[in-house]
Protein backbone atom coordinates (compact mmCIF):
# COMPACT_ATOMS: atom_id res chain seq x y z
CA UNK A 1 0.00 0.00 0.00
CA UNK A 2 1.41 3.36 -1.05
CA UNK A 3 1.71 5.95 1.71
CA UNK A 4 0.72 9.50 0.84
CA UNK A 5 3.25 12.19 1.65
CA UNK A 6 1.85 15.27 3.35
CA UNK A 7 2.38 18.45 1.32
CA UNK A 8 5.17 20.70 2.50
CA UNK A 9 4.24 24.17 3.65
CA UNK A 10 5.37 26.90 1.22
CA UNK A 11 8.01 29.33 2.46
CA UNK A 12 9.66 32.50 1.20
CA UNK A 13 13.21 31.38 0.49
CA UNK A 14 14.49 34.76 -0.60
CA UNK A 15 13.65 38.24 -1.87
CA UNK A 16 15.87 40.60 -3.83
CA UNK A 17 15.42 43.96 -5.52
CA UNK A 18 16.85 46.06 -8.33
CA UNK A 19 16.87 49.79 -9.02
CA UNK A 20 18.04 51.65 -12.09
CA UNK A 21 18.60 55.39 -12.00
CA UNK A 22 17.27 56.66 -15.34
CA UNK A 23 16.97 60.46 -15.42
CA UNK A 24 17.19 60.42 -19.21
CA UNK A 25 14.03 58.33 -19.39
CA UNK A 26 11.95 60.64 -17.17
CA UNK A 27 10.77 62.51 -20.26
CA UNK A 28 9.21 59.25 -21.50
CA UNK A 29 7.11 58.76 -18.38
CA UNK A 30 3.39 59.08 -19.02
CA UNK A 31 2.89 62.45 -17.32
CA UNK A 32 6.06 64.19 -18.60
CA UNK A 33 5.62 62.91 -22.16
CA UNK A 34 2.11 64.38 -22.32
CA UNK A 35 2.97 67.67 -20.63
CA UNK A 36 6.10 68.26 -22.71
CA UNK A 37 4.02 68.08 -25.89
CA UNK A 38 1.62 70.70 -24.55
CA UNK A 39 4.39 72.90 -23.13
CA UNK A 40 7.79 72.30 -24.80
CA UNK A 41 9.29 75.02 -22.63
CA UNK A 42 9.21 72.60 -19.70
CA UNK A 43 12.13 70.66 -21.18
CA UNK A 44 14.77 73.04 -19.82
CA UNK A 45 13.16 73.27 -16.39
CA UNK A 46 12.82 69.49 -16.16
CA UNK A 47 16.43 68.91 -17.22
CA UNK A 48 17.71 71.30 -14.55
CA UNK A 49 15.91 69.34 -11.81
CA UNK A 50 17.23 65.87 -12.64
CA UNK A 51 19.44 64.16 -10.05
CA UNK A 52 22.92 62.74 -10.45
CA UNK A 53 23.56 59.05 -9.82
CA UNK A 54 25.28 59.72 -6.51
CA UNK A 55 22.31 61.79 -5.33
CA UNK A 56 19.86 59.04 -6.25
CA UNK A 57 22.04 56.35 -4.66
CA UNK A 58 22.31 58.38 -1.44
CA UNK A 59 18.56 59.06 -1.26
CA UNK A 60 17.45 57.35 1.95
CA UNK A 61 14.22 55.75 0.64
CA UNK A 62 16.24 54.13 -2.16
CA UNK A 63 18.78 52.84 0.34
CA UNK A 64 15.99 51.50 2.56
CA UNK A 65 14.43 49.71 -0.42
CA UNK A 66 17.74 47.98 -1.12
CA UNK A 67 18.39 47.08 2.51
CA UNK A 68 21.14 49.64 3.07
CA UNK A 69 19.33 51.07 6.09
CA UNK A 70 16.34 49.98 8.14
CA UNK A 71 13.09 51.73 7.13
CA UNK A 72 12.67 52.95 10.72
CA UNK A 73 15.74 55.14 10.19
CA UNK A 74 13.59 57.34 7.96
CA UNK A 75 11.41 58.25 10.94
CA UNK A 76 14.47 59.52 12.79
CA UNK A 77 15.79 61.59 9.91
CA UNK A 78 14.63 65.19 9.33
CA UNK A 79 13.10 65.99 5.96
CA UNK A 80 13.61 66.75 3.16
CA UNK A 81 15.55 63.53 2.60
CA UNK A 82 16.69 64.54 -0.88
CA UNK A 83 18.89 67.26 0.61
CA UNK A 84 21.05 64.84 2.59
CA UNK A 85 24.45 63.99 1.16
CA UNK A 86 25.30 60.74 2.89
CA UNK A 87 26.66 57.44 1.69
CA UNK A 88 25.85 56.54 -1.90
CA UNK A 89 26.70 52.86 -2.35
CA UNK A 90 25.70 51.11 -5.54
CA UNK A 91 25.62 47.67 -3.93
CA UNK A 92 23.38 47.05 -0.93
CA UNK A 93 22.36 43.90 0.98
CA UNK A 94 19.15 43.40 -1.01
CA UNK A 95 20.26 44.56 -4.45
CA UNK A 96 21.89 47.30 -6.48
CA UNK A 97 21.07 50.66 -7.98
CA UNK A 98 22.42 50.73 -11.55
CA UNK A 99 23.50 53.86 -13.48
CA UNK A 100 21.47 54.65 -16.58
CA UNK A 101 24.38 54.07 -18.98
CA UNK A 102 24.54 50.42 -17.98
CA UNK A 103 20.77 50.12 -17.97
CA UNK A 104 20.71 51.21 -21.61
CA UNK A 105 23.18 48.43 -22.26
CA UNK A 106 20.77 46.03 -20.55
CA UNK A 107 17.98 47.19 -22.84
CA UNK A 108 20.09 46.15 -25.81
CA UNK A 109 21.04 42.84 -24.20
CA UNK A 110 17.37 42.06 -23.61
CA UNK A 111 16.35 43.13 -27.12
CA UNK A 112 15.72 40.08 -29.31
CA UNK A 113 14.40 41.96 -32.35
CA UNK A 114 16.90 44.79 -32.97
CA UNK A 115 14.54 47.42 -31.59
CA UNK A 116 17.20 49.25 -29.55
CA UNK A 117 19.91 51.06 -31.51
CA UNK A 118 22.86 52.35 -29.49
CA UNK A 119 25.65 54.67 -30.57
CA UNK A 120 28.85 52.73 -31.30
CA UNK A 121 30.96 55.18 -29.28
CA UNK A 122 28.56 54.88 -26.37
CA UNK A 123 28.88 51.09 -26.44
CA UNK A 124 32.67 51.38 -26.47
CA UNK A 125 32.47 53.60 -23.40
CA UNK A 126 30.23 51.26 -21.39
CA UNK A 127 31.46 47.84 -22.54
CA UNK A 128 34.17 47.45 -19.91
CA UNK A 129 31.87 48.52 -17.08
CA UNK A 130 29.08 46.22 -18.25
CA UNK A 131 31.55 43.35 -18.58
CA UNK A 132 32.68 43.87 -14.97
CA UNK A 133 29.17 43.34 -13.63
CA UNK A 134 29.09 40.04 -11.72
CA UNK A 135 25.73 39.04 -13.22
CA UNK A 136 26.55 39.82 -16.87
CA UNK A 137 27.72 36.87 -18.97
CA UNK A 138 29.75 36.51 -22.14
CA UNK A 139 26.52 35.77 -24.00
CA UNK A 140 25.13 39.07 -22.74
CA UNK A 141 28.17 40.97 -24.00
CA UNK A 142 27.77 39.38 -27.41
CA UNK A 143 24.17 40.61 -27.53
CA UNK A 144 25.33 44.11 -26.62
CA UNK A 145 26.93 44.22 -30.06
CA UNK A 146 29.00 46.96 -31.65
CA UNK A 147 26.38 49.66 -32.06
CA UNK A 148 25.71 52.06 -34.93
CA UNK A 149 27.34 55.29 -36.12
CA UNK A 150 25.88 58.37 -34.47
CA UNK A 151 25.05 59.75 -37.91
CA UNK A 152 22.85 56.72 -38.62
CA UNK A 153 20.97 57.10 -35.33
CA UNK A 154 20.47 60.80 -36.05
CA UNK A 155 19.15 59.89 -39.49
CA UNK A 156 16.78 57.33 -37.98
CA UNK A 157 15.35 59.94 -35.62
CA UNK A 158 14.89 62.62 -38.26
CA UNK A 159 13.37 60.50 -41.01
CA UNK A 160 10.48 59.15 -38.93
CA UNK A 161 8.49 60.12 -35.86
CA UNK A 162 8.13 56.40 -35.13
CA UNK A 163 11.51 56.37 -33.37
CA UNK A 164 12.07 57.29 -29.75
CA UNK A 165 15.36 58.94 -28.72
CA UNK A 166 17.39 57.45 -25.89
CA UNK A 167 19.25 60.21 -24.13
CA UNK A 168 21.16 60.50 -20.91
CA UNK A 169 20.27 62.79 -18.06
CA UNK A 170 22.77 65.34 -19.40
CA UNK A 171 20.88 65.53 -22.70
CA UNK A 172 23.24 63.50 -24.90
CA UNK A 173 21.42 61.24 -27.37
CA UNK A 174 23.08 57.82 -27.32
CA UNK A 175 20.54 55.75 -29.22
CA UNK A 176 16.94 55.22 -30.19
CA UNK A 177 14.10 52.71 -30.01
CA UNK A 178 12.32 51.79 -33.23
CA UNK A 179 8.80 50.49 -33.67
CA UNK A 180 8.20 46.86 -34.61
CA UNK A 181 5.19 47.50 -36.86
CA UNK A 182 3.87 50.76 -38.28
CA UNK A 183 0.23 49.61 -38.08
CA UNK A 184 0.24 48.13 -34.58
CA UNK A 185 -0.41 50.46 -31.64
CA UNK A 186 0.96 47.87 -29.21
CA UNK A 187 4.35 47.79 -30.96
CA UNK A 188 5.16 51.50 -31.02
CA UNK A 189 8.56 52.62 -29.67
CA UNK A 190 7.18 54.01 -26.41
CA UNK A 191 5.27 50.81 -25.59
CA UNK A 192 8.23 48.64 -26.55
CA UNK A 193 10.55 50.71 -24.35
CA UNK A 194 8.18 50.21 -21.42
CA UNK A 195 8.00 46.47 -22.06
CA UNK A 196 11.76 46.04 -22.49
CA UNK A 197 12.46 48.05 -19.34
CA UNK A 198 10.05 45.86 -17.40
CA UNK A 199 11.69 42.71 -18.76
CA UNK A 200 15.34 43.58 -18.12
CA UNK A 201 14.77 45.12 -14.68
CA UNK A 202 12.90 42.00 -13.53
CA UNK A 203 15.64 39.84 -15.01
CA UNK A 204 18.29 41.66 -12.98
CA UNK A 205 16.32 41.28 -9.75
CA UNK A 206 15.84 37.58 -10.57
CA UNK A 207 19.52 37.07 -11.40
CA UNK A 208 20.45 38.75 -8.12
CA UNK A 209 18.11 36.47 -6.19
CA UNK A 210 19.35 33.25 -7.79
CA UNK A 211 22.97 34.29 -7.35
CA UNK A 212 22.57 35.04 -3.65
CA UNK A 213 20.57 31.85 -3.04
CA UNK A 214 23.05 29.77 -5.01
CA UNK A 215 20.25 28.51 -7.25
CA UNK A 216 20.98 26.93 -10.62
CA UNK A 217 18.71 28.67 -13.19
CA UNK A 218 18.10 25.31 -14.85
CA UNK A 219 16.47 24.05 -11.64
CA UNK A 220 13.67 26.65 -11.71
CA UNK A 221 10.47 24.96 -12.96
CA UNK A 222 8.03 27.89 -13.03
CA UNK A 223 8.07 31.70 -13.10
CA UNK A 224 5.13 34.02 -12.44
CA UNK A 225 5.50 37.61 -13.63
CA UNK A 226 3.29 40.17 -11.91
CA UNK A 227 4.73 43.42 -13.27
CA UNK A 228 2.20 45.97 -14.46
CA UNK A 229 3.23 46.03 -18.12
CA UNK A 230 1.32 43.88 -20.62
CA UNK A 231 3.01 42.66 -23.80
CA UNK A 232 1.22 41.64 -26.96
CA UNK A 233 0.28 42.68 -30.47
CA UNK A 234 -2.78 44.01 -32.26
CA UNK A 235 -4.73 40.75 -32.09
CA UNK A 236 -3.91 40.04 -28.43
CA UNK A 237 -2.96 43.33 -26.83
CA UNK A 238 -2.05 41.92 -23.43
CA UNK A 239 -1.74 38.26 -24.29
CA UNK A 240 2.05 38.01 -24.29
CA UNK A 241 4.04 36.04 -21.73
CA UNK A 242 6.64 38.29 -20.14
CA UNK A 243 7.42 35.66 -17.49
CA UNK A 244 9.00 33.34 -20.04
CA UNK A 245 10.92 36.23 -21.60
CA UNK A 246 12.37 37.08 -18.19
CA UNK A 247 13.13 33.41 -17.51
CA UNK A 248 14.90 33.13 -20.87
CA UNK A 249 17.07 36.16 -20.12
CA UNK A 250 18.02 34.53 -16.81
CA UNK A 251 19.00 31.19 -18.34
CA UNK A 252 16.04 29.26 -16.90
CA UNK A 253 15.84 26.96 -19.89
CA UNK A 254 13.73 24.33 -18.10
CA UNK A 255 11.15 26.78 -16.75
CA UNK A 256 7.67 27.55 -17.92
CA UNK A 257 5.67 30.52 -16.72
CA UNK A 258 2.79 32.94 -17.06
CA UNK A 259 1.74 36.48 -16.17
CA UNK A 260 -0.65 37.63 -13.44
CA UNK A 261 -2.15 41.11 -13.69
CA UNK A 262 -3.90 43.04 -10.93
CA UNK A 263 -2.29 46.50 -10.92
CA UNK A 264 -0.38 47.09 -7.65
CA UNK A 265 -2.00 44.01 -6.09
CA UNK A 266 -0.45 41.69 -8.67
CA UNK A 267 2.37 40.47 -6.39
CA UNK A 268 -0.11 39.45 -3.68
CA UNK A 269 -2.12 37.32 -6.11
CA UNK A 270 1.08 35.90 -7.63
CA UNK A 271 2.51 34.90 -4.25
CA UNK A 272 -0.72 33.15 -3.26
CA UNK A 273 -0.73 31.24 -6.54
CA UNK A 274 2.95 30.37 -6.20
CA UNK A 275 2.43 29.16 -2.64
CA UNK A 276 -0.53 27.03 -3.73
CA UNK A 277 1.51 25.46 -6.54
CA UNK A 278 4.26 24.54 -4.08
CA UNK A 279 1.87 23.35 -1.37
CA UNK A 280 0.00 21.13 -3.83
CA UNK A 281 3.22 19.55 -5.04
CA UNK A 282 2.83 20.76 -8.61
CA UNK A 283 6.20 22.54 -8.42
CA UNK A 284 8.99 22.40 -5.86
CA UNK A 285 9.89 26.06 -6.43
CA UNK A 286 8.15 29.01 -8.06
CA UNK A 287 9.78 32.37 -8.73
CA UNK A 288 7.60 35.47 -8.56
CA UNK A 289 9.08 38.40 -10.48
CA UNK A 290 7.96 41.94 -11.23
CA UNK A 291 9.68 44.51 -13.41
CA UNK A 292 9.43 48.27 -13.46
CA UNK A 293 6.69 50.57 -14.70
CA UNK A 294 8.45 53.16 -16.85
CA UNK A 295 5.19 55.06 -17.33
CA UNK A 296 5.40 56.19 -13.68
CA UNK A 297 8.68 58.05 -14.14
CA UNK A 298 8.16 61.71 -13.32
CA UNK A 299 4.53 61.16 -12.33
CA UNK A 300 4.62 64.11 -9.91
CA UNK A 301 7.32 66.13 -11.68
CA UNK A 302 5.12 69.23 -11.89
CA UNK A 303 4.93 69.41 -8.11
CA UNK A 304 8.69 68.99 -7.85
CA UNK A 305 9.31 71.80 -10.31
CA UNK A 306 6.79 74.09 -8.62
CA UNK A 307 8.61 73.65 -5.29
CA UNK A 308 12.10 73.75 -6.84
CA UNK A 309 12.80 70.18 -5.78
CA UNK A 310 14.67 67.50 -7.71
CA UNK A 311 12.50 65.07 -9.65
CA UNK A 312 12.42 62.10 -7.28
CA UNK A 313 10.58 59.65 -9.56
CA UNK A 314 13.73 58.96 -11.57
CA UNK A 315 14.37 55.31 -10.70
CA UNK A 316 12.96 52.06 -12.07
CA UNK A 317 12.34 49.27 -9.56
CA UNK A 318 12.00 45.50 -9.78
CA UNK A 319 11.70 42.58 -7.40
CA UNK A 320 12.08 38.80 -7.35
CA UNK A 321 10.71 36.40 -4.73
CA UNK A 322 11.46 32.69 -4.43
CA UNK A 323 8.69 30.48 -3.05
CA UNK A 324 9.70 26.93 -2.17
CA UNK A 325 9.10 23.94 0.06
CA UNK A 326 9.59 24.29 3.81
CA UNK A 327 13.30 24.19 4.62
CA UNK A 328 12.92 24.64 8.37
CA UNK A 329 14.37 28.16 8.47
CA UNK A 330 12.48 30.36 6.00
CA UNK A 331 9.23 32.22 6.87
CA UNK A 332 6.12 30.22 6.08
CA UNK A 333 3.30 31.41 3.85
CA UNK A 334 0.07 30.60 5.72
CA UNK A 335 -2.48 29.53 3.14
CA UNK A 336 -5.11 29.10 5.86
CA UNK A 337 -5.20 32.85 6.49
CA UNK A 338 -5.53 34.26 2.98
CA UNK A 339 -7.82 37.27 2.79
CA UNK A 340 -9.79 38.63 -0.14
CA UNK A 341 -10.85 41.99 -1.46
CA UNK A 342 -14.22 41.10 -2.93
CA UNK A 343 -15.86 42.53 -6.03
CA UNK A 344 -18.72 43.81 -3.92
CA UNK A 345 -16.37 45.94 -1.82
CA UNK A 346 -15.61 48.12 -4.83
CA UNK A 347 -12.13 49.02 -5.96
CA UNK A 348 -12.47 51.60 -8.73
CA UNK A 349 -11.18 55.12 -8.18
CA UNK A 350 -14.77 56.32 -8.06
CA UNK A 351 -15.62 53.82 -5.32
CA UNK A 352 -12.53 54.64 -3.28
CA UNK A 353 -12.81 58.41 -3.58
Amino acid sequence: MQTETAPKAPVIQGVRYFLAHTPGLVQHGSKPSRDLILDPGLVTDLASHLRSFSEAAAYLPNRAFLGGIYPDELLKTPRPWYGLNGKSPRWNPHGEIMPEEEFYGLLKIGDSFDLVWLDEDFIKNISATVADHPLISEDDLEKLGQGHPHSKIKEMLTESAERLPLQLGDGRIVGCVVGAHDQDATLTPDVLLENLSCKVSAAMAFRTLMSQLGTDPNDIPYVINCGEEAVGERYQRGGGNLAKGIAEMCGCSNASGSDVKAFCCGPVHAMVMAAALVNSGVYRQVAVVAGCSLAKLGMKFRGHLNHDQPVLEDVLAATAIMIGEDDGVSPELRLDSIGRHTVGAGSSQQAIM
Side-chain angles (χ1 to χ4, degrees), residues 154-211:
K154 186 176 181 180
E155 178 185 330
M156 292 279 286
L157 289 170
T158 54
E159 71 181 16
S160 173
E162 289 300 309
R163 280 79 186 256
L164 201 67
L166 285 177
Q167 68 181 56
L168 302 176
D170 61 12
R172 286 181 294 146
I173 293 178
V174 296
C176 65
V177 180
V178 302
H181 197 290
D182 59 3
Q183 295 180 340
D184 192 335
T186 64
L187 298 177
T188 57
D190 56 332
V191 174
L192 292 171
L193 177 60
E194 291 176 359
N195 291 342
L196 269 174
S197 297
C198 185
K199 172 186 172 181
V200 302
S201 59
M204 288 306 293
F206 193 16
R207 288 185 180 191
T208 302
L209 176 62
M210 288 190 290
S211 174

Side-chain angles (χ1 to χ4, degrees), residues 3-342:
T3 303
E4 291 188 5
T5 303
K8 290 189 176 182
V11 297
I12 301 174
Q13 296 177 331
V15 182
R16 286 297 178 263
Y17 303 107
F18 173 80
L19 289 179
H21 178 237
T22 55
L25 295 181
V26 169
Q27 63 176 319
H28 299 311
S30 177
K31 177 64 173 173
S33 65
R34 288 178 283 124
D35 283 10
L36 292 174
I37 292 175
L38 297 175
D39 186 359
L42 283 172
V43 171
T44 302
D45 201 12
L46 174 60
S48 67
H49 286 80
L50 296 176
R51 294 189 292 184
S52 67
F53 174 75
S54 61
E55 290 171 330
Y59 187 49
L60 291 182
N62 290 344
R63 292 186 61 201
F65 181 77
L66 295 173
I69 62 171
Y70 285 104
D72 288 350
E73 290 297 313
L74 297 174
L75 299 175
K76 306 173 186 177
T77 308
R79 300 191 187 194
W81 294 324
Y82 63 79
L84 303 175
N85 294 315
K87 296 180 180 178
S88 55
R90 169 174 178 167
W91 307 94
N92 290 270
H94 297 161
E96 68 170 300
I97 178 168
M98 176 179 281
E100 67 177 342
E101 293 87 350
E102 293 174 47
F103 186 74
Y104 286 1
L106 273 184
L107 290 176
K108 183 58 189 174
I109 290 170
D111 168 25
S112 302
F113 299 98
D114 200 25
L115 304 171
V116 177
W117 286 41
L118 293 179
D119 186 299
E120 58 186 2
D121 291 331
F122 175 71
I123 287 186
K124 289 177 184 177
N125 290 335
I126 68 169
S127 290
T129 306
V130 173
D132 285 341
H133 195 290
L135 300 178
I136 296 297
S137 68
E138 289 295 329
D139 288 342
D140 292 329
L141 295 176
E142 187 174 335
K143 293 172 184 175
L144 184 60
Q146 303 299 315
H148 301 272
H150 184 76
S151 58
K152 181 61 178 177
I153 291 174
K154 186 176 181 180
E155 178 185 330
M156 292 279 286
L157 289 170
T158 54
E159 71 181 16
S160 173
E162 289 300 309
R163 280 79 186 256
L164 201 67
L166 285 177
Q167 68 181 56
L168 302 176
D170 61 12
R172 286 181 294 146
I173 293 178
V174 296
C176 65
V177 180
V178 302
H181 197 290
D182 59 3
Q183 295 180 340
D184 192 335
T186 64
L187 298 177
T188 57
D190 56 332
V191 174
L192 292 171
L193 177 60
E194 291 176 359
N195 291 342
L196 269 174
S197 297
C198 185
K199 172 186 172 181
V200 302
S201 59
M204 288 306 293
F206 193 16
R207 288 185 180 191
T208 302
L209 176 62
M210 288 190 290
S211 174
Q212 295 195 7
L213 287 178
T215 302
D216 184 342
N218 288 309
D219 290 339
I220 301 296
Y222 204 78
V223 178
I224 299 177
N225 165 60
C226 54
E228 291 185 323
E229 303 303 331
V231 298
E233 35 80 33
R234 56 189 165 181
Y235 296 112
Q236 302 172 90
R237 293 180 183 271
N241 191 333
L242 199 54
K244 293 180 76 173
I246 294 165
E248 179 185 34
M249 190 172 175
C250 293
C252 303
S253 58
N254 294 320
S256 186
S258 59
D259 291 3
V260 171
K261 301 296 177 188
F263 285 109
C264 300
C265 300
V268 176
H269 294 276
M271 287 181 66
V272 171
M273 293 177 187
L277 287 169
V278 170
N279 185 243
S280 66
V282 175
Y283 297 117
R284 184 179 54 82
Q285 271 186 320
V286 177
V288 175
V289 299
C292 67
S293 179
L294 187 145
K296 292 185 174 66
L297 286 177
M299 183 186 286
K300 303 296 182 184
F301 87 101
R302 284 278 202 167
H304 294 138
L305 299 189
N306 290 339
H307 292 86
D308 197 25
Q309 298 173 347
V311 176
L312 301 177
E313 295 142 338
D314 59 353
V315 294
L316 300 173
T319 186
I321 306 164
M322 192 72 78
I323 309 298
E325 295 176 336
D326 190 4
D327 53 13
V329 294
S330 300
E332 183 180 335
L333 272 168
R334 292 276 303 274
L335 292 177
D336 61 341
S337 61
I338 300 298
R340 293 182 303 149
H341 183 271
T342 62

